[in-house]
């Protein structure tokens, strides 16, 4: 069964940076596109960044130029480098395949203080 284990979140001041990691097991990682999703309090979960099997990346407009998604197939890990963080980036961040499966990890909390 697929498992997603996210880490790297925390409390950071506005303008700061964080690097999230997600280790995936239970699938042939290199065969799947991956995505980072986030859910802010009272809002629906949204897809913020994707990376294809060939490492082509895409971003939602609100994070373009600030976030970078990457992957390491050997480590079965995907990363989200987040720079110039804003208070509106505060959310629980999750990774999943893209398109997503109906199974989620525990997520990692990112809190940006203004």
């Amino acid at each position: 069964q697929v498992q997603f284990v996210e880490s790297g979140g925390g409390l950071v001041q506005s303008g700061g940076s964080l690097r999230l990691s997600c280790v995936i097991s239970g699938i042939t990682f290199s065969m799947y596109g991956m995505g980072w999703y986030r859910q802010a309090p009272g809002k629906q979960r949204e897809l913020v960044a994707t990376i294809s099997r060939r490492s082509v990346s895409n971003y939602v407009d609100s994070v373009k130029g600030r976030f970078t998604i990457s992957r390491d197939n050997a480590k079965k890990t995907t990363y989200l480098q987040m720079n110039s963080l804003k208070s509106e980036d505060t959310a629980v961040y999750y990774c999943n395949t893209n398109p997503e499966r109906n199974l989620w990890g525990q997520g990692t909390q990112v809190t940006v203080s203004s």
Side-chain angles (χ1 to χ4, degrees), residues 76-91:
K76 298 183 180 181
T77 301
T78 183
Y79 304 96
L80 187 68
Q81 177 67 44
M82 306 186 296
N83 299 327
S84 303
L85 282 162
K86 305 176 181 180
S87 57
E88 51 262 45
D89 296 319
T90 295

Side-chain angles (χ1 to χ4, degrees), residues 12-111:
V12 63
Q13 287 188 334
S14 180
S17 298
L18 284 172
R19 188 193 193 206
L20 307 184
S21 300
C22 177
V23 179
I24 296 93
S25 60
I27 60 172
T28 304
F29 178 76
S30 61
M31 297 297 293
Y32 290 86
M34 297 300 302
W36 279 95
Y37 304 74
R38 68 185 179 188
Q39 187 166 20
K43 295 187 178 181
Q44 289 189 330
R45 187 178 286 145
E46 67 167 339
L47 176 61
V48 297
T50 63
I51 186 165
S52 72
R53 293 186 299 164
R54 299 183 183 276
S55 294
V56 175
S57 57
N58 283 286
Y59 304 89
V60 68
D61 285 347
S62 60
V63 308
K64 280 182 181 177
R66 301 188 298 120
F67 289 12
T68 302
I69 188 172
S70 60
R71 64 188 296 157
D72 185 331
N73 289 342
K75 294 182 178 180
K76 298 183 180 181
T77 301
T78 183
Y79 304 96
L80 187 68
Q81 177 67 44
M82 306 186 296
N83 299 327
S84 303
L85 282 162
K86 305 176 181 180
S87 57
E88 51 262 45
D89 296 319
T90 295
V92 179
Y93 284 72
Y94 304 87
C95 74
N96 206 314
T97 54
N98 177 39
E100 73 268 23
R101 295 168 177 254
N102 191 26
L103 180 68
W104 297 87
Q106 83 287 351
T108 187
Q109 175 71 48
V110 172
T111 304

